[in-house]
């Protein structure tokens, strides 16, 4: 999965609308950690159940992958976090955020703390329209 720094322009796909990237983590770069508010986590899990912009194949969590590398990983694959697709949220101020569905797992399993603007967008914004 491509690494994009939090709040950098989402450039994974040039055809996509302008958006800020959140949660495109990579083990090569440190990320913010902390306690994400429970209501935000719950909402993200709901949103992750209906992802947009589905990719071919799945993204696997590389932090879990590192903890159980192949072939152990492959045997454990059904139990290792993976995701297909993205979560797009439009904040009340019109800012659009693009996150991988794995972001819910990163928060739950790896204590990732997304930027506050994204947290507020999850609480008060709406799924970005016009994506499928
Ligand atoms: Zn993981």
């Amino acid at each position: 999965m491509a690494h994009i720094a939090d709040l950098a322009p989402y450039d994974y796909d040039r055809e996509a609308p302008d958006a800020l990237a959140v949660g495109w983590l990579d083990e090569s770069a440190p990320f913010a950690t902390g306690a994400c508010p429970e209501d935000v986590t719950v909402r993200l899990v709901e949103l992750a159940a209906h992802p947009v912009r589905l990719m071919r194949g799945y993204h696997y969590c590389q932090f879990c992958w590192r903890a159980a590398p192949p072939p152990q990983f492959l045997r454990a694959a059904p139990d290792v976090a993976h995701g297909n697709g993205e979560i797009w949220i439009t904040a009340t101020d019109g800012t659009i955020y693009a996150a991988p569905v794995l972001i819910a797992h990163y928060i739950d399993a790896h204590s990732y703390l997304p930027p506050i603007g994204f947290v507020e967008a999850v609480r008060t914004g709406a799924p970005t329209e016009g994506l499928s």
Side-chain angles (χ1 to χ4, degrees):
M1 199 167 85
H3 172 251
I4 312 172
D6 276 353
L7 303 182
Y10 172 89
D11 58 5
Y12 196 54
D13 175 0
R14 295 183 194 287
E15 311 264 307
D18 288 344
L20 300 181
V22 171
W24 297 87
L25 307 185
D26 186 275
E27 58 187 345
S28 68
F31 57 87
T33 59
C36 186
E38 177 78 19
D39 61 309
V40 173
T41 308
V42 168
R43 179 81 178 120
L44 280 173
V45 170
E46 291 171 2
L47 291 166
H50 305 284
V52 297
R53 298 174 44 76
L54 297 179
M55 306 289 164
R56 282 175 294 227
Y58 287 89
H59 295 141
Y60 287 90
C61 174
Q62 60 184 298
F63 306 105
C64 289
W65 176 290
R66 183 174 54 188
Q72 293 89 337
F73 179 88
L74 296 176
R75 280 199 292 271
D79 300 314
V80 175
H82 62 276
N84 179 14
E86 302 173 353
I87 295 169
W88 283 59
I89 295 283
T90 301
T92 54
D93 69 358
T95 304
I96 299 175
Y97 296 93
V101 293
L102 271 176
I103 191 170
H105 167 80
Y106 289 148
I107 292 169
D108 182 50
H110 303 292
S111 300
Y112 168 60
L113 182 62
I116 186 66
F118 176 79
V119 167
E120 281 309 308
V122 170
R123 281 181 161 148
T124 60
T128 304
E129 294 179 4
L131 299 171
S132 57

